[in-house]
Amino acid sequence: EVQLVESGGALVQPGGSLRLSCVGSGFTFSSYEMNWVRQAPGKGLEWVSYINFWGTNIYYADSVKGRFTISRDNAKNSLYLQMNSLRAEDTAVYYCARDATSWSFGPWGQGTLVTVSS
Amino acid sequence: EIVLTQSPGTLSLSPGERATLSCRASQSIRSSYLAWYQQKPGQAPRLLIYGVSTRATGIPDRFSGSGSGTDFSLTISRLEPEDFAVYYCQQFGNSRFTFGQGTKLEIK
């Protein structure tokens, strides 16, 4: 069974940093592109970042560019999101999602909550 | 950036009825990179449709997608109780992914 499990969410002060992790199992992690998608409380979905198989092609949403860094360690079946200079508007559940066909997302992890507040 | 606008915001229907959800793009979506997701309260989204009209693995055939260019739709032929949820469309273009704001499908 394909599984994605996120961790690392926490309460952090504005301007602080946090690193999220996502571990994949049940599939060949290195064969899939990966993404982070977030959802603010009571709001819709917002794509955050994409990384290809080897980490050589990366995209970011304008709202996080220059503050967030996506990376992966295929030997550990792991995806990461380093988040710096956090703002209140970064408060959200962060999901990791495997690339599906035709630039879609599936499956998704259960999400990890990041709260940015003083 | 391509903006996706979903309508209606909320759709109230009864089980057994047909639902049609709309997703309109601010510019033409190339190469059919349009997908639909279902999200239930407290759960992660689930991929329903990719490539405009292809059902993802395990998705019942009462779900269908169609459209081209800037206008797309998701149709649920006969609503089951478990279909009441929020639905999002999503596209990829110019190294960016965007989602629509969602349509809430509620029981009438």
Side-chain angles (χ1 to χ4, degrees), chain A residues 1 7 9 11 16 19 36 53 66 79 85-87 95 117:
Chain A
E1 179 194 3
S7 62
L11 171 64
R19 188 197 198 202
W36 288 100
F53 311 103
L79 174 72
S85 303
L86 283 162
R87 306 166 180 167
Y95 296 100
S117 175

Side-chain angles (χ1 to χ4, degrees), chain A residues 35 37 39 43-47 50 59-62 65 95 99-111, chain B residues 1 31-35 37 39 42-47 49-51 88 90-92 95-101:
Chain A
N35 293 270
V37 178
Q39 186 170 35
K43 302 298 184 182
L45 301 170
E46 180 188 16
W47 167 75
Y50 155 94
Y59 306 143
Y60 294 103
D62 290 343
K65 200 167 187 178
Y95 296 100
D99 175 67
T101 309
S102 298
W103 297 98
S104 61
F105 306 124
W108 300 54
Q110 86 290 346
Chain B
E1 174 182 294
S31 303
S32 302
Y33 295 147
L34 192 285
Y37 302 84
Q39 187 179 32
Q43 296 184 16
R46 177 175 70 146
L47 177 64
I49 301 284
Y50 63 87
Y88 296 94
Q90 169 256 316
Q91 69 84 37
F92 173 76
S95 304
R96 296 288 186 274
F97 298 83
T98 54
F99 288 91
Q101 83 280 16

Side-chain angles (χ1 to χ4, degrees), chain A residues 11-27:
Chain A
L11 171 64
V12 61
Q13 292 191 337
S17 297
L18 207 57
R19 188 197 198 202
L20 306 183
S21 299
C22 169
V23 177
S25 61
F27 65 103

Side-chain angles (χ1 to χ4, degrees), chain B residues 30-100:
Chain B
R30 300 179 182 177
S31 303
S32 302
Y33 295 147
L34 192 285
W36 290 90
Y37 302 84
Q38 176 193 68
Q39 187 179 32
K40 297 179 180 179
Q43 296 184 16
R46 177 175 70 146
L47 177 64
L48 297 176
I49 301 284
Y50 63 87
V52 177
S53 59
T54 304
R55 280 186 301 277
T57 302
I59 302 303
D61 61 7
R62 64 179 182 273
F63 290 90
S64 63
S66 64
S68 65
T70 60
D71 289 308
F72 301 87
S73 61
L74 174 70
T75 299
I76 310 171
S77 58
R78 285 180 58 85
L79 286 165
E80 298 287 342
E82 62 268 26
D83 297 336
F84 292 91
V86 179
Y87 292 84
Y88 296 94
C89 57
Q90 169 256 316
Q91 69 84 37
F92 173 76
N94 297 325
S95 304
R96 296 288 186 274
F97 298 83
T98 54
F99 288 91

